[in-house]
Amino acid sequence: MFDIGFSEIVVIAVVALVVIGPERLPKTARTLGHLFGRLQRYVNDVKADINREMELDELRKLQRDVQTAATDLKSSIESVGREVESSVHEVGRSLNEAANEAAPATDPEVRRLAESGPLFNEPGGELADATPASPPRQASLPGFDKI
């Protein structure tokens, strides 16, 4: 801290002994020691506060970087989602057009579905309500139809 050698400390001690006197010198030295300790603690606290502020600043920068990366990722995912949705919508539209252009079906259930309208709704590309009236039955295995 200060560049004080041993000889300079001895000179200061002799002058203090002469000026202050041998009776008050121990009390004064103790008081100076306490003040010097307080000064060191204060300097250490200031250093710790400065380091803490620097770390907080770095964390804020890191938080901004992560938020920027998250918004970029979100926007890219949303754009890919819109592209997939438009592709599904185009496929649904082409399937509807192909179904409408096909020859009339002989199965009454297929004819009913074809006459009920498109399989996909236009705005969102989601499936239209095209559920059959009764679910198809699976053929039973031999020997299990008598349960």
Side-chain angles (χ1 to χ4, degrees), residues 90-107:
E90 287 297 320
V91 168
R93 186 180 307 158
S94 65
L95 287 175
N96 285 334
E97 290 173 0
N100 289 339
E101 292 175 0
T106 57
D107 186 17

Side-chain angles (χ1 to χ4, degrees), residues 15-35:
V15 170
L17 182 62
V18 170
V19 172
I20 296 174
E23 295 165 356
R24 291 187 292 168
L25 185 62
K27 186 177 180 180
T28 306
R30 200 174 311 122
T31 305
L32 286 176
H34 285 294
L35 291 176

Side-chain angles (χ1 to χ4, degrees), residues 45-90:
D45 288 344
V46 169
K47 284 181 183 179
D49 287 343
I50 290 172
N51 286 336
R52 199 174 307 122
E53 286 296 324
M54 288 174 27
E55 289 173 358
L56 280 174
D57 189 42
E58 290 175 7
L59 287 175
R60 286 183 189 123
K61 286 179 184 178
L62 180 64
Q63 181 184 13
R64 271 183 273 156
D65 292 342
V66 168
Q67 284 178 343
T68 303
T71 55
D72 291 343
L73 180 65
K74 180 181 176 183
S75 64
S76 66
I77 288 174
E78 286 175 350
S79 67
V80 168
R82 284 191 296 271
E83 290 175 9
V84 167
E85 185 179 336
S86 67
S87 297
V88 167
H89 183 64
E90 287 297 320

Side-chain angles (χ1 to χ4, degrees), residues 130-144:
T131 57
S134 63
R137 295 198 37 105
Q138 182 178 3
S140 61
L141 296 172
F144 288 101

